[in-house]
Amino acid sequence: TVLTVEASVGTEKNVPSQESFKRFQTLAKRGTERVKGRVSHVKENESCSIFDGPIRAIRCARAIRDSALELGIETKAGLHTGLCELRGDKVSGAPVDISKRVAHQAAFGDVLITNAVMDLVSGSGVAFTNRGTCNIEGMAENCRLFAPA
């Protein structure tokens, strides 16, 4: 399962604070490692991580969101699952691109998952709300999006 998190950091005179970027990067790395995920990359305001299961990825997304909010950093997250290509520490492939597009669709504060992830977590006891459908490049049909309740 691939998790992409985008951050909106505070600004001072419309210039993003480098300290805010660093705090987000640290939160993303620690949050991923805490639930035994693997960080693929962390850019200024984006992180991409992979997990061996979707529940871990959802927990991580929520933890990063909640911790970042305490520091005044808003996040939005997208999750998708599928076969990825690993090159060293970097992960690539359609699931990475799709998770990034799902994160981009989200509002700040949201954690959104695709129907592919939803299929894997059914019966897990986690409640979800249906966020409708959207056309995401890279998917054969309209994608249904869900948010953990």
Side-chain angles (χ1 to χ4, degrees), residues 66-104:
D66 296 346
S67 296
L69 197 54
E70 290 176 9
L71 298 174
I73 301 169
E74 291 185 292
T75 63
K76 54 185 182 174
L79 289 86
H80 186 61
T81 193
L83 295 175
C84 299
E85 187 173 325
L86 290 172
R87 292 185 187 143
D89 290 337
K90 303 293 181 201
V91 63
S92 62
V96 175
D97 298 335
I98 293 168
S99 74
K100 185 173 183 171
R101 291 180 185 119
V102 171
H104 191 71

mmCIF file of all heavy atoms in Angstrom, residues 66-104:
data_model
loop_
_atom_site.group_PDB
_atom_site.id
_atom_site.type_symbol
_atom_site.label_atom_id
_atom_site.label_comp_id
_atom_site.label_asym_id
_atom_site.label_seq_id
_atom_site.Cartn_x
_atom_site.Cartn_y
_atom_site.Cartn_z
ATOM 1 N N ASP A 66 -2.492 14.236 12.517
ATOM 2 C CA ASP A 66 -2.756 14.745 13.861
ATOM 3 C C ASP A 66 -1.529 15.425 14.463
ATOM 4 O O ASP A 66 -1.637 16.492 15.078
ATOM 5 C CB ASP A 66 -3.243 13.613 14.766
ATOM 6 C CG ASP A 66 -4.581 13.040 14.318
ATOM 7 O OD1 ASP A 66 -5.269 13.670 13.473
ATOM 8 O OD2 ASP A 66 -4.930 11.939 14.790
ATOM 9 N N SER A 67 -0.351 14.827 14.279
ATOM 10 C CA SER A 67 0.884 15.418 14.816
ATOM 11 C C SER A 67 1.226 16.718 14.103
ATOM 12 O O SER A 67 1.661 17.684 14.727
ATOM 13 C CB SER A 67 2.056 14.443 14.676
ATOM 14 O OG SER A 67 1.827 13.298 15.463
ATOM 15 N N ALA A 68 1.041 16.730 12.791
ATOM 16 C CA ALA A 68 1.354 17.935 12.017
ATOM 17 C C ALA A 68 0.430 19.080 12.402
ATOM 18 O O ALA A 68 0.875 20.230 12.523
ATOM 19 C CB ALA A 68 1.251 17.635 10.522
ATOM 20 N N LEU A 69 -0.836 18.769 12.616
ATOM 21 C CA LEU A 69 -1.809 19.805 12.969
ATOM 22 C C LEU A 69 -1.433 20.489 14.283
ATOM 23 O O LEU A 69 -1.611 21.698 14.433
ATOM 24 C CB LEU A 69 -3.212 19.208 13.040
ATOM 25 C CG LEU A 69 -4.368 20.190 12.988
ATOM 26 C CD1 LEU A 69 -4.271 21.097 11.768
ATOM 27 C CD2 LEU A 69 -5.682 19.440 12.981
ATOM 28 N N GLU A 70 -0.893 19.719 15.224
ATOM 29 C CA GLU A 70 -0.445 20.300 16.490
ATOM 30 C C GLU A 70 0.662 21.326 16.277
ATOM 31 O O GLU A 70 0.854 22.221 17.100
ATOM 32 C CB GLU A 70 0.047 19.202 17.428
ATOM 33 C CG GLU A 70 -1.054 18.310 17.957
ATOM 34 C CD GLU A 70 -0.528 17.180 18.815
ATOM 35 O OE1 GLU A 70 0.671 17.163 19.149
ATOM 36 O OE2 GLU A 70 -1.329 16.289 19.157
ATOM 37 N N LEU A 71 1.397 21.194 15.160
ATOM 38 C CA LEU A 71 2.472 22.138 14.844
ATOM 39 C C LEU A 71 2.028 23.218 13.860
ATOM 40 O O LEU A 71 2.855 23.988 13.364
ATOM 41 C CB LEU A 71 3.672 21.376 14.255
ATOM 42 C CG LEU A 71 4.314 20.347 15.172
ATOM 43 C CD1 LEU A 71 5.380 19.573 14.418
ATOM 44 C CD2 LEU A 71 4.900 21.021 16.405
ATOM 45 N N GLY A 72 0.736 23.234 13.546
ATOM 46 C CA GLY A 72 0.225 24.239 12.622
ATOM 47 C C GLY A 72 0.441 23.886 11.158
ATOM 48 O O GLY A 72 0.382 24.756 10.294
ATOM 49 N N ILE A 73 0.663 22.617 10.872
ATOM 50 C CA ILE A 73 0.878 22.160 9.498
ATOM 51 C C ILE A 73 -0.328 21.327 9.090
ATOM 52 O O ILE A 73 -0.681 20.367 9.770
ATOM 53 C CB ILE A 73 2.167 21.310 9.392
ATOM 54 C CG1 ILE A 73 3.379 22.119 9.838
ATOM 55 C CG2 ILE A 73 2.343 20.775 7.970
ATOM 56 C CD1 ILE A 73 4.643 21.283 10.007
ATOM 57 N N GLU A 74 -0.970 21.707 7.998
ATOM 58 C CA GLU A 74 -2.110 20.946 7.506
ATOM 59 C C GLU A 74 -1.623 19.920 6.484
ATOM 60 O O GLU A 74 -0.719 20.204 5.699
ATOM 61 C CB GLU A 74 -3.132 21.862 6.853
ATOM 62 C CG GLU A 74 -3.840 22.769 7.836
ATOM 63 C CD GLU A 74 -4.916 23.569 7.148
ATOM 64 O OE1 GLU A 74 -4.574 24.436 6.336
ATOM 65 O OE2 GLU A 74 -6.106 23.306 7.430
ATOM 66 N N THR A 75 -2.248 18.743 6.501
ATOM 67 C CA THR A 75 -1.877 17.693 5.552
ATOM 68 C C THR A 75 -3.117 17.130 4.879
ATOM 69 O O THR A 75 -4.234 17.278 5.373
ATOM 70 C CB THR A 75 -1.124 16.538 6.230
ATOM 71 O OG1 THR A 75 -1.982 15.912 7.176
ATOM 72 C CG2 THR A 75 0.159 17.006 6.891
ATOM 73 N N LYS A 76 -2.876 16.477 3.755
ATOM 74 C CA LYS A 76 -3.894 15.686 3.078
ATOM 75 C C LYS A 76 -3.189 14.463 2.526
ATOM 76 O O LYS A 76 -2.023 14.533 2.130
ATOM 77 C CB LYS A 76 -4.612 16.476 1.998
ATOM 78 C CG LYS A 76 -3.731 17.138 0.962
ATOM 79 C CD LYS A 76 -4.586 17.986 0.050
ATOM 80 C CE LYS A 76 -3.790 18.654 -1.053
ATOM 81 N NZ LYS A 76 -4.686 19.350 -1.997
ATOM 82 N N ALA A 77 -3.898 13.309 2.573
ATOM 83 C CA ALA A 77 -3.244 12.053 2.240
ATOM 84 C C ALA A 77 -4.068 11.234 1.263
ATOM 85 O O ALA A 77 -5.301 11.272 1.287
ATOM 86 C CB ALA A 77 -3.008 11.238 3.512
ATOM 87 N N GLY A 78 -3.358 10.478 0.429
ATOM 88 C CA GLY A 78 -3.984 9.568 -0.514
ATOM 89 C C GLY A 78 -3.321 8.206 -0.444
ATOM 90 O O GLY A 78 -2.096 8.120 -0.338
ATOM 91 N N LEU A 79 -4.124 7.142 -0.478
ATOM 92 C CA LEU A 79 -3.612 5.777 -0.434
ATOM 93 C C LEU A 79 -4.151 4.976 -1.606
ATOM 94 O O LEU A 79 -5.330 5.089 -1.965
ATOM 95 C CB LEU A 79 -4.046 5.070 0.853
ATOM 96 C CG LEU A 79 -3.396 5.520 2.142
ATOM 97 C CD1 LEU A 79 -4.116 6.693 2.730
ATOM 98 C CD2 LEU A 79 -3.389 4.375 3.125
ATOM 99 N N HIS A 80 -3.271 4.167 -2.169
ATOM 100 C CA HIS A 80 -3.648 3.233 -3.222
ATOM 101 C C HIS A 80 -2.770 2.005 -3.068
ATOM 102 O O HIS A 80 -1.731 2.051 -2.410
ATOM 103 C CB HIS A 80 -3.479 3.853 -4.611
ATOM 104 C CG HIS A 80 -3.995 2.990 -5.721
ATOM 105 N ND1 HIS A 80 -5.311 2.612 -5.826
ATOM 106 C CD2 HIS A 80 -3.350 2.424 -6.774
ATOM 107 C CE1 HIS A 80 -5.464 1.845 -6.897
ATOM 108 N NE2 HIS A 80 -4.285 1.712 -7.492
ATOM 109 N N THR A 81 -3.182 0.914 -3.676
ATOM 110 C CA THR A 81 -2.414 -0.311 -3.582
ATOM 111 C C THR A 81 -2.235 -0.930 -4.954
ATOM 112 O O THR A 81 -3.052 -0.708 -5.848
ATOM 113 C CB THR A 81 -3.093 -1.301 -2.607
ATOM 114 O OG1 THR A 81 -2.189 -2.343 -2.303
ATOM 115 C CG2 THR A 81 -4.378 -1.861 -3.172
ATOM 116 N N GLY A 82 -1.169 -1.664 -5.099
ATOM 117 C CA GLY A 82 -0.868 -2.338 -6.361
ATOM 118 C C GLY A 82 0.605 -2.678 -6.422
ATOM 119 O O GLY A 82 1.355 -2.423 -5.476
ATOM 120 N N LEU A 83 1.012 -3.243 -7.540
ATOM 121 C CA LEU A 83 2.404 -3.637 -7.707
ATOM 122 C C LEU A 83 3.281 -2.424 -7.982
ATOM 123 O O LEU A 83 2.996 -1.639 -8.876
ATOM 124 C CB LEU A 83 2.545 -4.641 -8.852
ATOM 125 C CG LEU A 83 1.852 -5.980 -8.628
ATOM 126 C CD1 LEU A 83 1.960 -6.842 -9.870
ATOM 127 C CD2 LEU A 83 2.464 -6.693 -7.435
ATOM 128 N N CYS A 84 4.333 -2.299 -7.200
ATOM 129 C CA CYS A 84 5.280 -1.192 -7.320
ATOM 130 C C CYS A 84 6.638 -1.731 -7.752
ATOM 131 O O CYS A 84 6.948 -2.901 -7.555
ATOM 132 C CB CYS A 84 5.448 -0.469 -5.981
ATOM 133 S SG CYS A 84 3.943 0.260 -5.362
ATOM 134 N N GLU A 85 7.432 -0.844 -8.276
ATOM 135 C CA GLU A 85 8.803 -1.184 -8.629
ATOM 136 C C GLU A 85 9.733 -0.539 -7.607
ATOM 137 O O GLU A 85 9.603 0.649 -7.316
ATOM 138 C CB GLU A 85 9.123 -0.663 -10.021
ATOM 139 C CG GLU A 85 10.468 -1.098 -10.540
ATOM 140 C CD GLU A 85 10.683 -0.700 -11.980
ATOM 141 O OE1 GLU A 85 9.722 -0.696 -12.766
ATOM 142 O OE2 GLU A 85 11.841 -0.371 -12.308
ATOM 143 N N LEU A 86 10.629 -1.342 -7.046
ATOM 144 C CA LEU A 86 11.591 -0.833 -6.070
ATOM 145 C C LEU A 86 12.955 -0.708 -6.726
ATOM 146 O O LEU A 86 13.440 -1.650 -7.346
ATOM 147 C CB LEU A 86 11.696 -1.771 -4.870
ATOM 148 C CG LEU A 86 10.491 -1.829 -3.948
ATOM 149 C CD1 LEU A 86 10.668 -2.940 -2.924
ATOM 150 C CD2 LEU A 86 10.284 -0.504 -3.259
ATOM 151 N N ARG A 87 13.559 0.467 -6.566
ATOM 152 C CA ARG A 87 14.926 0.713 -7.022
ATOM 153 C C ARG A 87 15.673 1.314 -5.844
ATOM 154 O O ARG A 87 15.549 2.501 -5.571
ATOM 155 C CB ARG A 87 14.947 1.683 -8.200
ATOM 156 C CG ARG A 87 14.352 1.114 -9.450
ATOM 157 C CD ARG A 87 14.503 2.074 -10.609
ATOM 158 N NE ARG A 87 13.768 1.547 -11.749
ATOM 159 C CZ ARG A 87 13.112 2.284 -12.597
ATOM 160 N NH1 ARG A 87 13.083 3.594 -12.452
ATOM 161 N NH2 ARG A 87 12.473 1.730 -13.595
ATOM 162 N N GLY A 88 16.397 0.475 -5.145
ATOM 163 C CA GLY A 88 17.045 0.942 -3.919
ATOM 164 C C GLY A 88 15.981 1.274 -2.904
ATOM 165 O O GLY A 88 15.116 0.461 -2.593
ATOM 166 N N ASP A 89 16.022 2.500 -2.390
ATOM 167 C CA ASP A 89 15.019 2.952 -1.427
ATOM 168 C C ASP A 89 13.805 3.580 -2.091
ATOM 169 O O ASP A 89 12.833 3.900 -1.421
ATOM 170 C CB ASP A 89 15.635 3.974 -0.469
ATOM 171 C CG ASP A 89 16.627 3.337 0.481
ATOM 172 O OD1 ASP A 89 16.522 2.118 0.709
ATOM 173 O OD2 ASP A 89 17.506 4.059 0.992
ATOM 174 N N LYS A 90 13.865 3.797 -3.394
ATOM 175 C CA LYS A 90 12.792 4.493 -4.103
ATOM 176 C C LYS A 90 11.770 3.513 -4.649
ATOM 177 O O LYS A 90 12.100 2.438 -5.126
ATOM 178 C CB LYS A 90 13.355 5.314 -5.271
ATOM 179 C CG LYS A 90 14.405 6.320 -4.869
ATOM 180 C CD LYS A 90 13.831 7.417 -4.033
ATOM 181 C CE LYS A 90 14.916 8.422 -3.678
ATOM 182 N NZ LYS A 90 14.585 9.193 -2.527
ATOM 183 N N VAL A 91 10.511 3.906 -4.582
ATOM 184 C CA VAL A 91 9.418 3.115 -5.115
ATOM 185 C C VAL A 91 8.781 3.918 -6.252
ATOM 186 O O VAL A 91 8.706 5.145 -6.194
ATOM 187 C CB VAL A 91 8.393 2.767 -4.010
ATOM 188 C CG1 VAL A 91 7.741 4.000 -3.448
ATOM 189 C CG2 VAL A 91 7.366 1.793 -4.501
ATOM 190 N N SER A 92 8.366 3.211 -7.303
ATOM 191 C CA SER A 92 7.729 3.877 -8.431
ATOM 192 C C SER A 92 6.659 2.963 -9.008
ATOM 193 O O SER A 92 6.508 1.819 -8.593
ATOM 194 C CB SER A 92 8.765 4.247 -9.499
ATOM 195 O OG SER A 92 9.379 3.081 -10.011
ATOM 196 N N GLY A 93 5.926 3.479 -9.952
ATOM 197 C CA GLY A 93 4.883 2.715 -10.612
ATOM 198 C C GLY A 93 3.524 3.375 -10.463
ATOM 199 O O GLY A 93 3.372 4.402 -9.804
ATOM 200 N N ALA A 94 2.542 2.767 -11.097
ATOM 201 C CA ALA A 94 1.188 3.326 -11.110
ATOM 202 C C ALA A 94 0.616 3.560 -9.713
ATOM 203 O O ALA A 94 0.001 4.612 -9.476
ATOM 204 C CB ALA A 94 0.257 2.423 -11.921
ATOM 205 N N PRO A 95 0.796 2.648 -8.738
ATOM 206 C CA PRO A 95 0.225 2.914 -7.410
ATOM 207 C C PRO A 95 0.784 4.191 -6.759
ATOM 208 O O PRO A 95 0.065 4.885 -6.048
ATOM 209 C CB PRO A 95 0.602 1.673 -6.596
ATOM 210 C CG PRO A 95 0.767 0.605 -7.615
ATOM 211 C CD PRO A 95 1.353 1.298 -8.812
ATOM 212 N N VAL A 96 2.040 4.493 -7.022
ATOM 213 C CA VAL A 96 2.647 5.717 -6.482
ATOM 214 C C VAL A 96 1.991 6.936 -7.120
ATOM 215 O O VAL A 96 1.593 7.879 -6.435
ATOM 216 C CB VAL A 96 4.177 5.726 -6.708
ATOM 217 C CG1 VAL A 96 4.785 7.043 -6.261
ATOM 218 C CG2 VAL A 96 4.821 4.554 -6.001
ATOM 219 N N ASP A 97 1.876 6.898 -8.446
ATOM 220 C CA ASP A 97 1.255 8.021 -9.163
ATOM 221 C C ASP A 97 -0.194 8.210 -8.736
ATOM 222 O O ASP A 97 -0.647 9.336 -8.528
ATOM 223 C CB ASP A 97 1.319 7.777 -10.670
ATOM 224 C CG ASP A 97 2.747 7.699 -11.190
ATOM 225 O OD1 ASP A 97 3.666 8.267 -10.556
ATOM 226 O OD2 ASP A 97 2.941 7.054 -12.245
ATOM 227 N N ILE A 98 -0.917 7.108 -8.584
ATOM 228 C CA ILE A 98 -2.329 7.200 -8.203
ATOM 229 C C ILE A 98 -2.486 7.708 -6.778
ATOM 230 O O ILE A 98 -3.344 8.551 -6.501
ATOM 231 C CB ILE A 98 -3.042 5.848 -8.421
ATOM 232 C CG1 ILE A 98 -3.103 5.550 -9.928
ATOM 233 C CG2 ILE A 98 -4.436 5.846 -7.798
ATOM 234 C CD1 ILE A 98 -3.526 4.144 -10.275
ATOM 235 N N SER A 99 -1.647 7.251 -5.849
ATOM 236 C CA SER A 99 -1.756 7.749 -4.467
ATOM 237 C C SER A 99 -1.491 9.248 -4.416
ATOM 238 O O SER A 99 -2.138 9.977 -3.664
ATOM 239 C CB SER A 99 -0.815 6.997 -3.519
ATOM 240 O OG SER A 99 0.526 7.374 -3.711
ATOM 241 N N LYS A 100 -0.584 9.712 -5.250
ATOM 242 C CA LYS A 100 -0.295 11.155 -5.314
ATOM 243 C C LYS A 100 -1.516 11.916 -5.852
ATOM 244 O O LYS A 100 -1.870 12.974 -5.334
ATOM 245 C CB LYS A 100 0.927 11.399 -6.194
ATOM 246 C CG LYS A 100 1.372 12.823 -6.221
ATOM 247 C CD LYS A 100 2.679 12.964 -6.980
ATOM 248 C CE LYS A 100 3.160 14.403 -6.932
ATOM 249 N NZ LYS A 100 4.491 14.550 -7.465
ATOM 250 N N ARG A 101 -2.150 11.372 -6.871
ATOM 251 C CA ARG A 101 -3.342 12.023 -7.437
ATOM 252 C C ARG A 101 -4.507 12.019 -6.452
ATOM 253 O O ARG A 101 -5.279 12.973 -6.389
ATOM 254 C CB ARG A 101 -3.727 11.355 -8.749
ATOM 255 C CG ARG A 101 -2.715 11.633 -9.842
ATOM 256 C CD ARG A 101 -3.090 10.978 -11.161
ATOM 257 N NE ARG A 101 -2.014 11.196 -12.111
ATOM 258 C CZ ARG A 101 -1.316 10.229 -12.691
ATOM 259 N NH1 ARG A 101 -1.588 8.955 -12.427
ATOM 260 N NH2 ARG A 101 -0.353 10.509 -13.535
ATOM 261 N N VAL A 102 -4.633 10.938 -5.674
ATOM 262 C CA VAL A 102 -5.687 10.871 -4.664
ATOM 263 C C VAL A 102 -5.430 11.922 -3.587
ATOM 264 O O VAL A 102 -6.350 12.631 -3.165
ATOM 265 C CB VAL A 102 -5.797 9.451 -4.057
ATOM 266 C CG1 VAL A 102 -6.733 9.439 -2.848
ATOM 267 C CG2 VAL A 102 -6.278 8.464 -5.110
ATOM 268 N N ALA A 103 -4.178 12.053 -3.146
ATOM 269 C CA ALA A 103 -3.841 13.080 -2.150
ATOM 270 C C ALA A 103 -4.169 14.467 -2.688
ATOM 271 O O ALA A 103 -4.678 15.319 -1.954
ATOM 272 C CB ALA A 103 -2.366 12.985 -1.770
ATOM 273 N N HIS A 104 -3.899 14.670 -3.959
ATOM 274 C CA HIS A 104 -4.180 15.972 -4.562
ATOM 275 C C HIS A 104 -5.685 16.258 -4.580
ATOM 276 O O HIS A 104 -6.095 17.410 -4.443
ATOM 277 C CB HIS A 104 -3.591 16.031 -5.976
ATOM 278 C CG HIS A 104 -3.608 17.394 -6.565
ATOM 279 N ND1 HIS A 104 -2.779 18.395 -6.123
ATOM 280 C CD2 HIS A 104 -4.365 17.926 -7.554
ATOM 281 C CE1 HIS A 104 -3.034 19.490 -6.814
ATOM 282 N NE2 HIS A 104 -3.982 19.231 -7.684
#
